[in-house]
Amino acid sequence: MRTSSGRGGEGQRYALTSDEDDADFWGSAREAEGFFTPLPGEEGARRVRLKGFLPLGGLLRSAGRVGSRRALAGNARFELLDGAGATMGSYFVDDVIDVEPSACGGGLVDLTVTLWCENALAGAEHAWDLIRAGRLNRAGMWHELTPEDRHAWLSVALWSREYGRRGRTDAPAGQVFTLDGRHIVDRDSFYCAIGEAVNAPADTLAGTSTLSTTA
């Protein structure tokens, strides 16, 4: 996962960037439909419609003109942006399948892409929104989630881990962490608890550490 800084622009929540060249920024959009909806019979695939997208870079050159039926610009990353336009997490774009004029006007297009993102689970949208708003900032926010939503929460922690660790240093060797086991009921809740103890409220993956368990 890359963490770009502020290229999305104010209010933009999603962006596309070339997977071959970090400097080749394809553009951004405020809305993305279908990201958390699996395609029937295609495990791990999503068809996402980015509304009001301003095409730039390699995507603009490949599309040729607004309304072209197919835009092939190489592999790309679908990026989820925070309020400042920095990348919180990203997923691989398999293909750009449609570009058409947008009702938003101003030279914008509605862009449809196929993504490979088996971890973009339905319950993950809430967790991404919390991170974007800076509200995933206290321990135990996963305690009351259903098993399905807890699994989605864990997937977001995995894909946003690099973003969450920005500016933080690793704990010194030999530090002892305390794991609160009162809400551990399955494997996902164990990883939520251990990640929270070792890293931060938003993290769920354990680092190398010595743990003192209280259950």
Side-chain angles (χ1 to χ4, degrees):
M1 190 276 288
R2 292 191 300 263
T3 304
S4 56
S5 56
R7 294 191 297 183
E10 184 177 356
Q12 303 296 81
R13 295 158 57 95
Y14 308 97
L16 293 178
T17 301
S18 169
D19 195 45
E20 285 85 19
D21 181 2
D22 287 358
D24 188 7
F25 182 60
W26 288 8
S28 57
R30 296 189 181 192
E31 297 183 53
E33 299 176 347
F35 180 47
F36 298 101
T37 306
L39 292 177
E42 298 184 51
E43 185 177 356
R46 305 287 188 273
R47 184 155 296 150
V48 180
R49 182 178 176 87
L50 293 159
K51 301 180 68 174
F53 189 92
L54 179 63
L56 301 170
L59 178 62
L60 179 61
R61 292 190 297 272
S62 72
R65 63 181 179 83
V66 172
S68 62
R69 291 299 300 169
R70 195 170 181 83
L72 298 176
N75 296 331
R77 304 294 297 184
F78 175 81
E79 301 177 343
L80 293 92
L81 307 178
D82 68 9
T87 304
M88 302 185 296
S90 64
Y91 297 86
F92 179 71
V93 175
D94 183 56
D95 199 6
V96 179
I97 62 174
D98 191 40
V99 183
E100 60 183 25
S102 175
C104 299
L108 302 177
V109 301
D110 291 342
L111 183 73
T112 304
V113 299
T114 300
L115 304 182
W116 177 259
C117 49
E118 60 185 350
N119 289 311
L121 307 175
E125 185 171 15
H126 176 61
W128 282 120
D129 286 343
L130 287 174
I131 296 174
R132 181 181 288 115
R135 291 168 47 212
L136 211 169
N137 52 13
R138 60 181 175 83
M141 296 179 71
W142 52 272
H143 288 174
E144 303 303 321
L145 298 178
T146 66
E148 292 78 14
D149 286 344
R150 195 160 52 237
H151 187 66
W153 181 283
L154 191 62
S155 74
V156 172
L158 173 64
W159 287 96
S160 65
R161 189 168 184 235
E162 183 179 334
Y163 172 81
R165 289 180 57 83
R166 294 179 307 163
R168 291 167 48 192
T169 58
D170 291 336
Q175 180 173 342
V176 176
F177 298 90
T178 299
L179 173 64
D180 183 349
R182 290 174 295 176
H183 297 276
I184 296 176
V185 295
D186 55 19
R187 184 174 63 178
D188 286 343
S189 58
F190 169 76
Y191 284 126
C192 285
I194 198 172
E196 193 167 79
V198 173
N199 298 303
D203 293 332
T204 56
L205 299 181
T208 302
S209 59
T210 302
L211 298 173
S212 171
T213 304
T214 58

